[in-house]
Structures are given as C-alpha cells and as structure tokens.
Amino acid sequence: MPTYLDWNDVLIKYTLQGLSLGSHVFLSIDEEAIEIIALLFNEPRPPHGWVEEFKRVVRNRCIYNEEVNVPRFAQPLRDTRKYPRYVPFLAAMVFAAYLMGEDEDKNIYSNDYFTHLNSVLGLEGKRGRVGGLTRGEDGKLWEDWASWLRTSGYLPTAYPGEGPEKYKQYPKSQTLLRKADKDNLWRHFSTTHGWRKDYDEVLLMQKIRREAQSQSLTTHLQKILDPKSEMWLRSYEAISNSCYEVYEDWRESDGSETRLFASEPRIRTSLDGKIYRTADFFSGVVGYQIFPRQTRQSAFAELHVTHNGENYMLTEARPGWYSPLWMLDGRQLTDGLKVPITSQNSAIKSLFLPARDFWVLTLDPDTPESGIYASWDKGIQLGTEFILLARQTVQDDLATLRDEGLLTWQSVVNVFDSWYEYHGVTVQSEPQAWTSIHLNNDALRLTLQPRTTFSINFIGGLRAPRGYGWLVGYEPKLSLASFLPDAILTVFDETEEAIYTATIEPGLLIDIPWKQAGNYRLVIEQSGQSDERIVRILNWSDVPPRSMDFRQIADEFNLLVYGVMVRDK
C-alpha cells in the first residue's frame, strides 16, 4: 500500500495539475478527489476503499497517544527537494471541512468542524481542538504552504479567520464546494427547468450566477457566488471549475435527481473539445482545429482518438490542454461532433464538441503576444480585443448589442457558409448595463457580459518560453482597463513586503520598479473589488535550453523545415 510520503507527492501533483503559473491554488479534497488521486498509484483498490485507506495512513503517521504529533510528519517542514512534508495532514483537515453541511453556515454548531476533524483523525471521543494543535501548530503549516506556493509561482488561497474562527478558517477556505453544495447543485440541474447538457464553463457560470440568490441553492453557494464576496473576488476560476465538474458529472449521468457517490470512483467518460484558430501567414486563410481540454482524470492516461481513418495520440501542449487535432468544417461546427477515444489506462470513451451558435476566441492567456486565438474558457477580458465566431442566426442579436452601445467590432468576415468572424470585438459597458437587454439568444448575452468592472493587462517585456514569466531586465509594464476612473495597485515581493503602491488610471502604462528576479504579487483594488496576479521575473540562467525540434513540418523548395531549423536536402 502507498506510504504517507507517497500520498504527500500525489496530493501536491494533483493539486497543481492543469494550473498555469500565477493561478490561485486550492487544496480542495473530497471523496471523489481522493479516489481519483489514488489512481496515480496504479495499485489495486483496497477492499475498504481509498478514502478509508487515506485516513488510515494519516492516522498512523500524524496521531500518537491520541494527539496530533506535528514533529512526526512536519519536522523539518520541507524534504530534500524542498517540497512540503505535511500535505496529507492539511488535506485531512480540508476533507473534514468538506463534510460539513448547511448547519455550520447558520452557526448552529460552533464546534461542528472539530467534530468532523476528530472523526477523520480517528479521535471520535475527543471534543473541540485536539491535543497537539492547541498552540496554533496547524496555522504554521498553512503559512508554510502559502510560502511554498508563492515561491513556486502560484497564489495561495488559505487564510485565517477572526477570533475563535482563526485556525478553523484555513481548511474551510479551501472547500470551494462542500458535499451539501454538490448535492444541491446536482438536484438544481435535474429539477429546475431550462438546464441543457451542452453548456461550456463560461455560460454555465453565468446561468448559475443569475440564479445565485435562489432559495433553492445552499447558503454557502449563495455566499461564494456573491460578486462582492471575498471568495468570489479571489477565486472565480476555481469556483467555476468546481461547479463545471459537478455539471459534467450530471451531464453524463442517467438523469437521476440524486447525486450518489458510488463505491467505485465516478470517472468522467468524455473530454470537452474547444476550438483553436489558425491563420496562414501568407494567404490569410483561416481554419479551426478541435482543441481537447484536459481533465485531472485524463492527465496521466494515454489516449487515442480516430477520425476519418486517422489515428491521433493526445499529447499535452500545456497544463490543462492537449495539442490541437484535425481541421473542422462548417458542418462540424454547426452540428457538433462526438468521436470515440480508446485507452488502456482510462475510462475516457469520447471527445465531445458541442453544437454551438457562437464561440468566443481570446488570445493565448500565457503568451498573448503570439497572436493565437482559441476558446480558452477565460471569459471576456476588459481592454482586450477578441474574435467572435458566430452563426448567421445571431446576427440580429449582435446588432442589438452594438446599437445599445454594449459591444463594438472592427470588421466581419465570412469563413464558412453560415459562420462569420467578428474581428476586434470589445465590450463597451459595465456589467449592470447588460442585465436589462433582451436577446433571442440569451446565452449570447450571458457569455459576453463582463464579470468585473476592471482588469489588468501586461504590456511588453520579454517573456520566457511557454509563458513562464519575464526575463530580468525586460520586465512588463502594466495597464488598467476600467469603467471607473482609478484603482489602487500594490506590489509585494516574496517576503510579502510592499515594494510599490500607487493610485493608477485606466489606459496609462505603469512602470513598476521591479527589484530583482523573483515572484511578485500584484493586488488591484477598486470599489470593494480586488484582483491578484503573480509576475515571475527570471534570470537568464533560470531558463533551461530546449532540445531542437526535429519533426519535419514542411517540404518546400528542396528544403526540409524542422521547427526553427532549415536544412538543405
């Protein structure tokens, strides 16, 4: 059976899987997560299940004489690779918070969290904080976890509470969706009229947000979906991903109104396909490739897909995405596509491209200078132009948005019989102005409506390969896009010392006095809303050389072209 250190490694790997640098990190652990994580061990599932095995391993390593013994698993805090050694214990704390229900939100049981934690740790007879944690030892572990994430280029999300809630709030802040929330969302999808099974993540979240104040949603869901809540402002993408995972499970279910956790892990059987835009540099001809999105379940599997007699092996292009595959035609864009996937080590059975009336194409979030557009599911970024690929059926709705001053574009080009590209599209009005507009295709309004009143964009500099930061001496400048006149910018270095604070105005280039190579945290605040970004500045010696790409990609004019190298035949 896997050891405590084995669990430590796979928990870190799972938690960071699919995240780009600068992402907010949640150590969000539930039954499904534990079962999926355990697939990485490639060992037979124990008769009592992986959840019970995980608890057994944590108890054996972390509990001694019916107390938590921190030195046994966290002294020293880091291993020889400088990785944290205490992640299974933190995961157990989060799992206890996940098990909490609605009563905790209503403050009915103030010690409910410790009841669940003591049960997870095998200390059912204990009440309140167990021995070994009475001096805030767990708080020190959470602080070190935050420090390690920042040093690694990520944004931590665990934070303490006030007064008696101080240490309980750390694990509770990691539970994006608790068990009661997932059950409630599933029931909402099943019993509320109008929920289809072809939404992408952006549209799904817009619909959920619209119904966030419904009494049918849990108190915790309503709280985290409040646009002014701390959780929403810090963690929109993580909340969105968690809700979409529940939706995908429901989409593949048999229609049951009740979400059941089976004795075996429920593994998703399909991958979502997005679209990736290509444009020939010389001819200007535009095409679209199917762009498979990677899931945590599929990330470590070998997957093959067959289309029109051609076999493709799915290869990771970057965290969260596989490389684009074949070119799509107008019929496939209009009708959608579902093609079989074969795998020896995964339950994934198909690649699914939904039938859509429109697609929002934004610049590559890691390297926007590349000019590559795809449906990255990042939503609309204020101050940044995007491409809208739309069917003729929504042209009247787009004209309405333009006439109302909500949207504008520079040009329109026909790419297929009934599909058009709208170039240079920008949002012109704040979120509130969109709420009163009625369109025939309401999904169009919900998707294009901005989420916030401001955004920050990085301009210039020299990026390291694959968007891993900027090179020292060639750092980026910052620009604010906003419907309001100004915002407050604060920049913190790796020691959390504020090195720069200023009130900034929209449209101006801000030259930040970066001190040296390292990770910097930028916080923008405006009218009760805030946003965080990580900027990584690298020394030239930090960028490893990449091997030459010898895959032949062209054969023209008696020359062989291999990536960046050209050879005579």
Side-chain angles (χ1 to χ4, degrees):
M1 283 286 107
T3 66
Y4 175 89
L5 294 179
D6 293 333
W7 278 99
N8 192 77
D9 286 349
V10 297
L11 280 164
I12 293 174
K13 189 173 185 179
Y14 174 84
T15 300
L16 301 182
Q17 175 61 40
L19 298 181
S20 57
L21 291 174
S23 297
H24 288 86
V25 176
F26 283 83
L27 186 62
S28 186
I29 300 297
D30 55 24
E31 295 109 328
E32 289 95 337
I34 292 173
E35 292 283 354
I36 292 167
I37 289 168
L39 294 176
L40 299 176
F41 296 132
N42 198 28
E43 292 193 17
R45 187 173 187 269
H48 51 278
W50 285 114
V51 173
E52 290 303 315
E53 177 62 17
F54 168 71
K55 291 193 287 189
R56 184 192 68 81
V57 169
V58 171
R59 293 167 182 173
N60 286 349
R61 184 60 175 265
C62 303
I63 304 301
Y64 184 75
N65 285 340
E66 295 193 332
E67 289 189 353
V68 174
N69 192 309
V70 173
R72 290 190 70 185
F73 63 89
Q75 193 174 22
L77 291 170
R78 311 282 179 88
D79 62 18
T80 55
R81 302 167 299 172
K82 299 184 179 179
Y83 275 34
R85 300 175 64 244
Y86 44 76
V87 179
F89 181 74
L90 296 187
M93 298 185 73
V94 175
F95 183 62
Y98 160 78
L99 295 173
M100 297 170 67
E102 279 287 87
D103 288 345
E104 189 275 335
D105 285 316
K106 300 171 184 175
N107 294 321
I108 293 178
Y109 301 113
S110 60
N111 285 325
D112 188 46
Y113 171 71
F114 288 115
T115 300
H116 288 291
L117 177 60
N118 293 340
S119 175
V120 169
L121 298 178
L123 303 172
E124 286 84 353
K126 300 290 184 177
R127 298 176 60 86
R129 288 182 69 85
V130 69
L133 299 180
T134 56
R135 297 182 179 179
E137 290 85 350
D138 47 339
K140 296 175 184 176
L141 300 181
W142 284 110
E143 290 169 4
D144 188 74
W145 171 245
S147 175
W148 181 77
L149 288 174
R150 290 193 185 97
T151 302
S152 302
Y154 299 98
L155 285 167
T157 56
Y159 61 92
E162 299 291 336
E165 293 290 314
K166 179 176 181 179
Y167 297 109
K168 289 191 290 183
Q169 186 58 36
Y170 280 114
K172 285 159 61 176
S173 67
Q174 300 300 280
T175 55
L176 294 166
L177 298 183
R178 301 172 187 173
K179 185 176 186 299
D181 304 322
K182 293 188 174 185
D183 294 342
N184 179 264
L185 266 182
W186 184 291
R187 187 165 55 250
H188 192 72
F189 296 150
S190 301
T191 60
T192 305
H193 176 71
W195 285 93
R196 304 197 313 268
K197 295 196 173 185
D198 61 350
Y199 299 138
D200 64 12
E201 188 174 322
V202 173
L203 178 55
L204 174 79
M205 287 309 298
Q206 292 286 27
K207 285 184 67 65
I208 291 178
R209 284 185 62 195
R210 188 172 60 179
E211 301 179 18
Q213 300 309 312
S214 167
Q215 294 302 309
S216 62
L217 297 184
T218 64
T219 305
H220 183 246
L221 271 173
Q222 293 179 47
K223 185 184 299 183
I224 67 174
L225 292 171
D226 182 351
K228 295 183 179 179
S229 72
E230 184 174 3
M231 181 72 87
W232 176 266
L233 295 174
R234 290 185 303 111
S235 317
Y236 165 78
E237 286 190 10
I239 294 171
S240 175
N241 291 339
S242 295
C243 290
Y244 193 64
E245 285 180 355
V246 177
Y247 172 77
E248 286 184 306
D249 284 346
W250 171 77
R251 186 179 68 187
E252 295 192 6
S253 70
D254 58 3
S256 170
E257 294 183 7
T258 305
R259 172 181 169 269
L260 298 175
F261 178 70
S263 57
E264 295 286 342
R266 179 170 50 234
I267 304 299
R268 196 164 298 119
T269 60
S270 69
L271 295 181
D272 277 356
K274 307 300 179 178
I275 62 173
Y276 185 96
R277 183 180 186 269
T278 64
D280 186 89
F281 181 80
F282 296 103
S283 68
V285 173
V286 170
Y288 288 94
Q289 295 173 269
I290 189 168
F291 192 23
R293 187 172 183 180
Q294 190 182 69
T295 66
R296 282 175 170 171
Q297 294 94 320
S298 70
F300 310 103
E302 182 176 316
L303 306 175
H304 295 263
V305 59
T306 301
H307 177 66
N308 286 345
E310 294 276 344
N311 182 269
Y312 302 85
M313 180 177 177
L314 272 61
T315 57
E316 183 181 283
R318 66 178 67 195
W321 297 93
Y322 292 107
S323 296
L325 302 177
W326 61 86
M327 286 290 182
L328 298 165
D329 56 33
R331 180 184 59 80
Q332 292 169 339
L333 279 175
T334 301
D335 299 337
L337 192 65
K338 189 173 184 178
V339 292
I341 286 178
T342 57
S343 175
Q344 297 298 317
N345 60 346
S346 169
I348 302 293
K349 301 297 183 186
S350 60
L351 173 61
F352 173 65
L353 178 75
R356 298 285 306 276
D357 292 324
F358 62 91
W359 291 89
V360 173
L361 307 170
T362 55
L363 284 167
D364 184 336
D366 290 339
T367 54
E369 298 86 355
S370 66
I372 294 174
Y373 286 86
S375 51
W376 299 101
D377 280 351
K378 290 291 186 180
I380 305 301
Q381 185 88 349
L382 297 183
T384 302
E385 296 180 350
F386 60 93
I387 294 174
L388 183 67
L389 178 65
R391 295 182 64 190
Q392 192 171 3
T393 53
V394 300
Q395 284 186 342
D396 289 344
D397 283 340
L398 289 170
T400 298
L401 294 174
R402 180 191 57 194
D403 294 343
E404 293 292 334
L406 303 180
L407 200 71
T408 188
W409 56 84
Q410 296 175 0
S411 61
V412 183
V413 178
N414 178 237
V415 289
F416 295 114
D417 289 341
S418 62
W419 286 88
Y420 294 82
E421 277 192 350
Y422 291 74
H423 294 176
V425 185
T426 55
V427 172
Q428 299 292 304
S429 295
E430 58 187 346
Q432 292 79 359
W434 291 69
T435 57
S436 60
I437 297 296
H438 175 74
L439 301 179
N440 294 321
N441 191 322
D442 196 46
L444 183 68
R445 177 184 66 84
L446 290 172
T447 302
L448 297 180
Q449 180 178 337
R451 179 172 59 88
T452 62
T453 59
F454 71 93
S455 67
I456 53 177
N457 301 298
F458 298 108
I459 310 296
L462 181 60
R463 287 186 188 258
R466 301 190 68 178
Y468 284 167
W470 284 263
L471 293 170
V472 68
Y474 298 89
E475 300 89 351
K477 296 183 180 180
L478 181 142
S479 177
L480 171 71
S482 174
F483 295 116
L484 300 178
D486 55 42
I488 297 174
L489 167 68
T490 307
V491 181
F492 299 89
D493 63 15
E494 290 183 354
T495 67
E496 283 300 286
E497 177 186 353
I499 65 167
Y500 181 79
T501 301
T503 299
I504 60 176
E505 299 178 7
L508 299 180
L509 285 181
I510 309 301
D511 198 351
I512 297 172
W514 312 102
K515 295 197 302 185
Q516 58 189 6
N519 295 316
Y520 296 86
R521 183 168 66 97
L522 281 64
V523 179
I524 305 287
E525 298 173 286
Q526 183 189 77
S527 297
Q529 295 188 342
S530 65
D531 191 16
E532 284 184 306
R533 297 289 188 89
I534 286 286
V535 171
R536 168 174 276 190
I537 308 299
L538 299 171
N539 287 311
W540 290 77
S541 58
D542 294 332
V543 181
R546 297 182 65 181
S547 59
M548 183 70 71
D549 186 353
F550 283 98
R551 292 176 299 170
Q552 181 181 341
I553 61 173
D555 186 350
E556 300 284 347
F557 310 112
N558 290 320
L559 296 175
L560 295 177
V561 181
Y562 298 88
V564 299
M565 183 172 63
V566 179
R567 283 180 174 174
D568 286 320
K569 282 189 174 180

PDB file of all heavy atoms in Angstrom, residues 50-68:
ATOM      1  N   TRP A  50     -10.311   3.771  -1.081  1.00  0.00           N
ATOM      2  CA  TRP A  50      -9.167   4.664  -0.929  1.00  0.00           C
ATOM      3  C   TRP A  50      -9.399   5.757   0.114  1.00  0.00           C
ATOM      4  O   TRP A  50      -8.446   6.250   0.719  1.00  0.00           O
ATOM      5  CB  TRP A  50      -8.801   5.299  -2.270  1.00  0.00           C
ATOM      6  CG  TRP A  50      -8.093   4.366  -3.200  1.00  0.00           C
ATOM      7  CD1 TRP A  50      -8.542   3.880  -4.391  1.00  0.00           C
ATOM      8  CD2 TRP A  50      -6.792   3.800  -3.007  1.00  0.00           C
ATOM      9  NE1 TRP A  50      -7.612   3.044  -4.961  1.00  0.00           N
ATOM     10  CE2 TRP A  50      -6.517   2.982  -4.132  1.00  0.00           C
ATOM     11  CE3 TRP A  50      -5.831   3.893  -2.006  1.00  0.00           C
ATOM     12  CZ2 TRP A  50      -5.328   2.269  -4.276  1.00  0.00           C
ATOM     13  CZ3 TRP A  50      -4.639   3.182  -2.146  1.00  0.00           C
ATOM     14  CH2 TRP A  50      -4.399   2.389  -3.262  1.00  0.00           C
ATOM     15  N   VAL A  51     -10.637   6.150   0.330  1.00  0.00           N
ATOM     16  CA  VAL A  51     -10.893   7.186   1.339  1.00  0.00           C
ATOM     17  C   VAL A  51     -10.490   6.673   2.721  1.00  0.00           C
ATOM     18  O   VAL A  51      -9.797   7.362   3.484  1.00  0.00           O
ATOM     19  CB  VAL A  51     -12.367   7.621   1.323  1.00  0.00           C
ATOM     20  CG1 VAL A  51     -12.659   8.559   2.487  1.00  0.00           C
ATOM     21  CG2 VAL A  51     -12.712   8.302  -0.001  1.00  0.00           C
ATOM     22  N   GLU A  52     -10.931   5.463   3.042  1.00  0.00           N
ATOM     23  CA  GLU A  52     -10.575   4.884   4.338  1.00  0.00           C
ATOM     24  C   GLU A  52      -9.073   4.613   4.422  1.00  0.00           C
ATOM     25  O   GLU A  52      -8.465   4.762   5.489  1.00  0.00           O
ATOM     26  CB  GLU A  52     -11.364   3.596   4.578  1.00  0.00           C
ATOM     27  CG  GLU A  52     -12.837   3.820   4.810  1.00  0.00           C
ATOM     28  CD  GLU A  52     -13.108   4.755   5.982  1.00  0.00           C
ATOM     29  OE1 GLU A  52     -12.455   4.571   7.028  1.00  0.00           O
ATOM     30  OE2 GLU A  52     -13.954   5.656   5.843  1.00  0.00           O
ATOM     31  N   GLU A  53      -8.459   4.230   3.296  1.00  0.00           N
ATOM     32  CA  GLU A  53      -7.013   3.988   3.294  1.00  0.00           C
ATOM     33  C   GLU A  53      -6.254   5.290   3.538  1.00  0.00           C
ATOM     34  O   GLU A  53      -5.263   5.321   4.274  1.00  0.00           O
ATOM     35  CB  GLU A  53      -6.594   3.362   1.966  1.00  0.00           C
ATOM     36  CG  GLU A  53      -5.094   3.138   1.822  1.00  0.00           C
ATOM     37  CD  GLU A  53      -4.516   2.177   2.849  1.00  0.00           C
ATOM     38  OE1 GLU A  53      -5.283   1.419   3.482  1.00  0.00           O
ATOM     39  OE2 GLU A  53      -3.276   2.193   3.034  1.00  0.00           O
ATOM     40  N   PHE A  54      -6.731   6.369   2.925  1.00  0.00           N
ATOM     41  CA  PHE A  54      -6.101   7.675   3.141  1.00  0.00           C
ATOM     42  C   PHE A  54      -6.175   8.060   4.620  1.00  0.00           C
ATOM     43  O   PHE A  54      -5.180   8.497   5.220  1.00  0.00           O
ATOM     44  CB  PHE A  54      -6.788   8.727   2.281  1.00  0.00           C
ATOM     45  CG  PHE A  54      -6.426  10.147   2.628  1.00  0.00           C
ATOM     46  CD1 PHE A  54      -5.167  10.654   2.337  1.00  0.00           C
ATOM     47  CD2 PHE A  54      -7.342  10.975   3.269  1.00  0.00           C
ATOM     48  CE1 PHE A  54      -4.828  11.953   2.670  1.00  0.00           C
ATOM     49  CE2 PHE A  54      -7.010  12.274   3.601  1.00  0.00           C
ATOM     50  CZ  PHE A  54      -5.751  12.763   3.302  1.00  0.00           C
ATOM     51  N   LYS A  55      -7.335   7.899   5.228  1.00  0.00           N
ATOM     52  CA  LYS A  55      -7.488   8.247   6.644  1.00  0.00           C
ATOM     53  C   LYS A  55      -6.584   7.357   7.511  1.00  0.00           C
ATOM     54  O   LYS A  55      -5.995   7.828   8.491  1.00  0.00           O
ATOM     55  CB  LYS A  55      -8.948   8.118   7.062  1.00  0.00           C
ATOM     56  CG  LYS A  55      -9.846   9.184   6.433  1.00  0.00           C
ATOM     57  CD  LYS A  55     -11.216   9.240   7.078  1.00  0.00           C
ATOM     58  CE  LYS A  55     -12.076   8.090   6.703  1.00  0.00           C
ATOM     59  NZ  LYS A  55     -13.482   8.256   7.174  1.00  0.00           N
ATOM     60  N   ARG A  56      -6.470   6.073   7.154  1.00  0.00           N
ATOM     61  CA  ARG A  56      -5.625   5.173   7.929  1.00  0.00           C
ATOM     62  C   ARG A  56      -4.158   5.624   7.890  1.00  0.00           C
ATOM     63  O   ARG A  56      -3.477   5.646   8.930  1.00  0.00           O
ATOM     64  CB  ARG A  56      -5.740   3.743   7.365  1.00  0.00           C
ATOM     65  CG  ARG A  56      -4.963   2.699   8.162  1.00  0.00           C
ATOM     66  CD  ARG A  56      -4.871   1.368   7.423  1.00  0.00           C
ATOM     67  NE  ARG A  56      -4.025   1.490   6.233  1.00  0.00           N
ATOM     68  CZ  ARG A  56      -2.695   1.448   6.262  1.00  0.00           C
ATOM     69  NH1 ARG A  56      -2.046   1.315   7.411  1.00  0.00           N
ATOM     70  NH2 ARG A  56      -2.005   1.547   5.143  1.00  0.00           N
ATOM     71  N   VAL A  57      -3.685   6.014   6.696  1.00  0.00           N
ATOM     72  CA  VAL A  57      -2.289   6.448   6.555  1.00  0.00           C
ATOM     73  C   VAL A  57      -2.043   7.719   7.363  1.00  0.00           C
ATOM     74  O   VAL A  57      -1.019   7.847   8.047  1.00  0.00           O
ATOM     75  CB  VAL A  57      -1.959   6.657   5.067  1.00  0.00           C
ATOM     76  CG1 VAL A  57      -0.618   7.359   4.910  1.00  0.00           C
ATOM     77  CG2 VAL A  57      -1.949   5.326   4.330  1.00  0.00           C
ATOM     78  N   VAL A  58      -2.968   8.669   7.298  1.00  0.00           N
ATOM     79  CA  VAL A  58      -2.813   9.926   8.043  1.00  0.00           C
ATOM     80  C   VAL A  58      -2.803   9.656   9.548  1.00  0.00           C
ATOM     81  O   VAL A  58      -1.972  10.209  10.293  1.00  0.00           O
ATOM     82  CB  VAL A  58      -3.931  10.917   7.676  1.00  0.00           C
ATOM     83  CG1 VAL A  58      -3.905  12.133   8.600  1.00  0.00           C
ATOM     84  CG2 VAL A  58      -3.779  11.363   6.224  1.00  0.00           C
ATOM     85  N   ARG A  59      -3.711   8.800   9.989  1.00  0.00           N
ATOM     86  CA  ARG A  59      -3.762   8.496  11.426  1.00  0.00           C
ATOM     87  C   ARG A  59      -2.466   7.838  11.896  1.00  0.00           C
ATOM     88  O   ARG A  59      -1.927   8.190  12.961  1.00  0.00           O
ATOM     89  CB  ARG A  59      -4.941   7.568  11.719  1.00  0.00           C
ATOM     90  CG  ARG A  59      -6.298   8.210  11.510  1.00  0.00           C
ATOM     91  CD  ARG A  59      -7.406   7.164  11.499  1.00  0.00           C
ATOM     92  NE  ARG A  59      -8.710   7.755  11.256  1.00  0.00           N
ATOM     93  CZ  ARG A  59      -9.833   7.042  11.054  1.00  0.00           C
ATOM     94  NH1 ARG A  59      -9.772   5.720  11.088  1.00  0.00           N
ATOM     95  NH2 ARG A  59     -10.975   7.660  10.832  1.00  0.00           N
ATOM     96  N   ASN A  60      -1.957   6.899  11.130  1.00  0.00           N
ATOM     97  CA  ASN A  60      -0.744   6.182  11.538  1.00  0.00           C
ATOM     98  C   ASN A  60       0.461   7.114  11.630  1.00  0.00           C
ATOM     99  O   ASN A  60       1.332   6.930  12.494  1.00  0.00           O
ATOM    100  CB  ASN A  60      -0.444   5.045  10.556  1.00  0.00           C
ATOM    101  CG  ASN A  60      -1.389   3.872  10.720  1.00  0.00           C
ATOM    102  OD1 ASN A  60      -2.136   3.801  11.692  1.00  0.00           O
ATOM    103  ND2 ASN A  60      -1.370   2.949   9.769  1.00  0.00           N
ATOM    104  N   ARG A  61       0.519   8.098  10.761  1.00  0.00           N
ATOM    105  CA  ARG A  61       1.702   8.975  10.738  1.00  0.00           C
ATOM    106  C   ARG A  61       1.539  10.200  11.640  1.00  0.00           C
ATOM    107  O   ARG A  61       2.514  10.667  12.230  1.00  0.00           O
ATOM    108  CB  ARG A  61       1.949   9.436   9.299  1.00  0.00           C
ATOM    109  CG  ARG A  61       3.211  10.265   9.115  1.00  0.00           C
ATOM    110  CD  ARG A  61       4.472   9.486   9.535  1.00  0.00           C
ATOM    111  NE  ARG A  61       5.687  10.226   9.265  1.00  0.00           N
ATOM    112  CZ  ARG A  61       6.418  10.088   8.171  1.00  0.00           C
ATOM    113  NH1 ARG A  61       6.046   9.228   7.219  1.00  0.00           N
ATOM    114  NH2 ARG A  61       7.524  10.780   8.005  1.00  0.00           N
ATOM    115  N   CYS A  62       0.338  10.724  11.754  1.00  0.00           N
ATOM    116  CA  CYS A  62       0.141  12.029  12.404  1.00  0.00           C
ATOM    117  C   CYS A  62      -0.374  11.951  13.836  1.00  0.00           C
ATOM    118  O   CYS A  62      -0.299  12.947  14.561  1.00  0.00           O
ATOM    119  CB  CYS A  62      -0.826  12.881  11.567  1.00  0.00           C
ATOM    120  SG  CYS A  62      -0.292  13.131   9.864  1.00  0.00           S
ATOM    121  N   ILE A  63      -0.913  10.811  14.247  1.00  0.00           N
ATOM    122  CA  ILE A  63      -1.506  10.697  15.580  1.00  0.00           C
ATOM    123  C   ILE A  63      -0.639   9.795  16.462  1.00  0.00           C
ATOM    124  O   ILE A  63      -0.218   8.710  16.039  1.00  0.00           O
ATOM    125  CB  ILE A  63      -2.942  10.112  15.493  1.00  0.00           C
ATOM    126  CG1 ILE A  63      -3.812  10.963  14.567  1.00  0.00           C
ATOM    127  CG2 ILE A  63      -3.564  10.022  16.880  1.00  0.00           C
ATOM    128  CD1 ILE A  63      -3.950  12.412  14.988  1.00  0.00           C
ATOM    129  N   TYR A  64      -0.378  10.272  17.682  1.00  0.00           N
ATOM    130  CA  TYR A  64       0.391   9.492  18.653  1.00  0.00           C
ATOM    131  C   TYR A  64      -0.171   9.791  20.035  1.00  0.00           C
ATOM    132  O   TYR A  64      -0.337  10.955  20.420  1.00  0.00           O
ATOM    133  CB  TYR A  64       1.875   9.851  18.587  1.00  0.00           C
ATOM    134  CG  TYR A  64       2.754   9.027  19.491  1.00  0.00           C
ATOM    135  CD1 TYR A  64       3.058   7.703  19.159  1.00  0.00           C
ATOM    136  CD2 TYR A  64       3.276   9.559  20.672  1.00  0.00           C
ATOM    137  CE1 TYR A  64       3.860   6.932  19.984  1.00  0.00           C
ATOM    138  CE2 TYR A  64       4.072   8.788  21.500  1.00  0.00           C
ATOM    139  CZ  TYR A  64       4.365   7.482  21.154  1.00  0.00           C
ATOM    140  OH  TYR A  64       5.161   6.712  21.981  1.00  0.00           O
ATOM    141  N   ASN A  65      -0.496   8.735  20.766  1.00  0.00           N
ATOM    142  CA  ASN A  65      -1.091   8.893  22.098  1.00  0.00           C
ATOM    143  C   ASN A  65      -2.339   9.778  22.046  1.00  0.00           C
ATOM    144  O   ASN A  65      -2.543  10.648  22.901  1.00  0.00           O
ATOM    145  CB  ASN A  65      -0.073   9.462  23.093  1.00  0.00           C
ATOM    146  CG  ASN A  65       0.944   8.427  23.531  1.00  0.00           C
ATOM    147  OD1 ASN A  65       0.715   7.212  23.411  1.00  0.00           O
ATOM    148  ND2 ASN A  65       2.076   8.895  24.040  1.00  0.00           N
ATOM    149  N   GLU A  66      -3.160   9.556  21.013  1.00  0.00           N
ATOM    150  CA  GLU A  66      -4.435  10.254  20.837  1.00  0.00           C
ATOM    151  C   GLU A  66      -4.265  11.773  20.738  1.00  0.00           C
ATOM    152  O   GLU A  66      -5.130  12.530  21.154  1.00  0.00           O
ATOM    153  CB  GLU A  66      -5.413   9.899  21.962  1.00  0.00           C
ATOM    154  CG  GLU A  66      -5.815   8.431  21.944  1.00  0.00           C
ATOM    155  CD  GLU A  66      -7.000   8.155  22.854  1.00  0.00           C
ATOM    156  OE1 GLU A  66      -7.168   8.890  23.847  1.00  0.00           O
ATOM    157  OE2 GLU A  66      -7.745   7.213  22.550  1.00  0.00           O
ATOM    158  N   GLU A  67      -3.133  12.202  20.197  1.00  0.00           N
ATOM    159  CA  GLU A  67      -2.885  13.605  19.930  1.00  0.00           C
ATOM    160  C   GLU A  67      -2.214  13.743  18.565  1.00  0.00           C
ATOM    161  O   GLU A  67      -1.576  12.799  18.073  1.00  0.00           O
ATOM    162  CB  GLU A  67      -1.974  14.231  21.000  1.00  0.00           C
ATOM    163  CG  GLU A  67      -2.621  14.410  22.349  1.00  0.00           C
ATOM    164  CD  GLU A  67      -1.736  15.229  23.282  1.00  0.00           C
ATOM    165  OE1 GLU A  67      -0.571  15.521  22.894  1.00  0.00           O
ATOM    166  OE2 GLU A  67      -2.196  15.577  24.383  1.00  0.00           O
ATOM    167  N   VAL A  68      -2.343  14.914  17.983  1.00  0.00           N
ATOM    168  CA  VAL A  68      -1.614  15.206  16.754  1.00  0.00           C
ATOM    169  C   VAL A  68      -0.162  15.475  17.123  1.00  0.00           C
ATOM    170  O   VAL A  68       0.115  16.334  17.967  1.00  0.00           O
ATOM    171  CB  VAL A  68      -2.219  16.422  16.026  1.00  0.00           C
ATOM    172  CG1 VAL A  68      -1.355  16.799  14.822  1.00  0.00           C
ATOM    173  CG2 VAL A  68      -3.644  16.140  15.597  1.00  0.00           C
TER     174      VAL A  68
END
